[in-house]
Amino acid sequence: MEEIAKRIAQLAPAVREQSPLVHCITNYVTVNDVANGLLAIGASPIMSDDLDDVDDIARLASAVDLNIGTLNHRTVTSMRHAGKVANAEDIPVILDPVGAGASRMRNEAVSRLLEEVQFAVIRGNASELGFIAGLEVSTKGVDASEEDISRDVVSLARDVAWKYNTTVALTGPVDVITNGTETVRIMNGHPMLKSVTGTGCVTTALVGAWVAVARSSVLRAEEADLMAAAAGAVSMMGIAGEKAFAEAGEKGTGSFHMALIDALSTITADDFMQMGRYGQEQL
């Protein structure tokens, strides 16, 4: 536990110092929260989903976040193009396969993105990652079903990591971060996070910002600690949820929502050391 907490705490200040630009093609239901979440941690968001624009924007970005929450044929085309441009420029791409397994269109979009784009991190729930792994899933819309949550989520996350040569962030009651060899469990968070739309979308964008810093020239790309980056971003949302509930949770979901952005904006490296609850293992 102490090792991963130290790696996260060492990486955390660089997000505010470097203010990475994260290009988001994301869910229009949650796009405002995604932008504000990135701003709260010191990153810089840019929301661009038109095919004529994404070429230039992806090249400018420090990371590209592809989220299929409210997908349509136009944005799927833009996602595929932005992902390919980012790959060509060695810019990390993050995938949020929202609702994968729920519809033919989502399934086809995710499958095509995985065929055409190399992802640095895939962030999803047990149902979404179960579909990506080729399993039968019973997704509940954009949420994981109880049946899928009850799977061996560590093995599931590792299977996806191996299959796609990526780092996986499986979020749920216990979050699992793995590259197929190293695995970190994260026990931070609060149930009220499920009562506010967009917390998953924001988490994926935070992963983009953290991965961008880990891959930056300052930290030398060949030594990028994507495990610490993904674990840091995911535990950041969990810790922020705990802080937000302590501050405003009893007032209701609206106050909790505002307090969540406040908490993201004030988290320090010490918080990861003092509040982070991690379990770590090697295969």
Side-chain angles (χ1 to χ4, degrees), residues 53-276:
D53 196 42
V54 297
D55 193 318
D56 292 334
I57 300 303
R59 284 191 172 87
L60 286 175
S62 306
V64 174
D65 166 23
L66 304 182
N67 177 313
I68 70 163
T70 48
L71 83 168
N72 56 59
H73 292 294
R74 177 183 62 83
T75 54
V76 170
T77 300
S78 296
M79 287 181 189
R80 290 167 48 215
H81 188 70
K84 291 176 183 178
V85 168
N87 281 173
E89 299 291 333
D90 197 30
I91 296 164
V93 188
I94 317 301
L95 175 64
D96 192 334
V98 179
S103 73
R104 185 183 67 180
M105 183 178 180
R106 289 175 188 273
N107 298 349
E108 290 176 351
V110 168
S111 296
R112 192 156 187 185
L113 284 166
L114 288 166
E115 288 173 3
E116 299 180 5
V117 179
Q118 176 62 46
F119 291 96
V121 179
I122 300 173
R123 202 287 312 167
N125 64 36
S127 293
E128 294 157 353
L129 290 169
F131 168 78
I132 289 174
L135 304 176
E136 290 292 328
V137 296
S138 53
T139 181
K140 183 183 176 184
V142 299
D143 297 319
S145 68
E146 291 300 323
E147 179 181 347
D148 293 330
I149 290 172
S150 68
R151 294 182 191 272
D152 179 352
V153 291
V154 172
S155 293
L156 170 59
R158 283 175 175 160
D159 287 346
V160 175
W162 287 326
K163 184 175 182 179
Y164 292 102
N165 188 29
T166 190
T167 297
V168 168
L170 189 157
T171 52
V174 174
D175 304 315
V176 176
I177 316 298
T178 185
N179 56 16
T181 302
E182 181 184 4
T183 299
V184 173
R185 289 182 178 87
I186 301 171
M187 281 69 76
N188 287 109
H190 191 278
M192 203 166 189
L193 285 166
K194 294 175 63 176
S195 300
V196 176
T197 189
T199 53
C201 299
V202 175
T203 301
T204 303
L206 301 187
V207 170
W210 278 68
V211 167
V213 168
R215 288 279 303 273
S216 71
S217 59
V218 173
L219 296 178
R220 297 180 58 192
E222 65 268 27
E223 297 178 2
D225 191 349
L226 299 190
M227 282 291 299
V234 171
S235 62
M236 185 179 226
M237 177 58 75
I239 291 169
E242 293 172 12
K243 284 176 169 278
F245 182 78
E247 179 66 27
E250 298 295 343
K251 298 178 183 178
T253 55
S255 297
F256 175 80
H257 187 189
M258 289 188 291
L260 186 63
I261 297 296
D262 288 340
L264 286 172
S265 72
T266 57
I267 285 177
T268 66
D270 286 343
D271 287 324
F272 294 102
M273 296 297 297
Q274 296 169 7
M275 296 182 67

